[in-house]
Amino acid sequence: MALNWLYADLMPTPDFILDLRRRIGTELLWLSGVTGVVLDEGGQVLLGRRSDNGLWALPSGILEPGEEPAMGLLREITEETAIIAEALALTHVSVGPPTSYPNGDRTQFLDLTFWCRPLSGEAQVADEESTEVGWFALGDLPAPLAPSSAERLAATLRYRHDPGAGASFAGRAETGD
């Protein structure tokens, strides 16, 4: 990932997005994102405090073109937290609302959330996307927690409780008259 800075939110923008933006300008860009709910054996979850908005959040990122979702997520977890993890299951699929940035760019994300377990490493700030990183007991999560992280964590905990129910996702087509 190149360390180009497109948005005023202090997050590095991958080269493929910069290339697309040169072609499409500020039009709505549909992106694939991944989120990891990394739970250790003691039931603690891995979180980072985002440098762009100060919210605590699960490790997440944008997939590169052609990148396998689970592998892209594991890359993101290591890049952000120095934790090497293993993806265990897809637990949640969601679409976020369209977002507009100060420079006029618009994006919307499809997010794939995975339940993960740590294999090795010590949690630490490993890139510029976080100001703090740590493990937190599920009953004592830091505030403010990003609403999307709270939703994805809850979905993953439901999955862990009942894997037979499968991943959660929104939407059955409404039938109207």
Side-chain angles (χ1 to χ4, degrees), residues 39 91 115 153-166:
L39 296 164
T91 60
W115 167 26
L153 175 59
T156 299
L157 295 175
R158 284 191 302 273
Y159 177 90
R160 277 188 37 189
H161 178 71
D162 183 11

Side-chain angles (χ1 to χ4, degrees), residues 29-46:
L29 183 57
W30 178 255
L31 294 170
S32 299
V34 286
T35 300
V37 178
V38 184
L39 296 164
D40 69 9
E41 290 181 13
Q44 294 186 316
V45 64
L46 181 63

Side-chain angles (χ1 to χ4, degrees), residues 1 11-14 16-17 31-37 50 57-65 67-81 94 101 108-114 127 129-130 148-149 152:
M1 179 184 308
M11 293 296 153
T13 303
F16 82 92
I17 293 175
L31 294 170
S32 299
V34 286
T35 300
V37 178
R50 293 177 55 98
L58 297 164
S60 63
I62 300 170
L63 291 176
E64 297 285 336
E67 190 173 31
E68 289 288 337
M71 296 308 293
L73 172 61
L74 299 177
R75 171 186 54 75
E76 288 286 348
I77 291 169
T78 302
E79 285 177 2
E80 293 177 15
T81 70
S94 61
Y101 296 90
Q108 189 168 15
F109 284 91
L110 165 70
D111 182 81
L112 305 172
T113 300
F114 291 85
D127 68 10
E129 293 184 34
S130 300
S148 59
S149 288
R152 294 164 187 169

Side-chain angles (χ1 to χ4, degrees), residues 18 27 97 155:
L18 296 173
E27 292 297 317

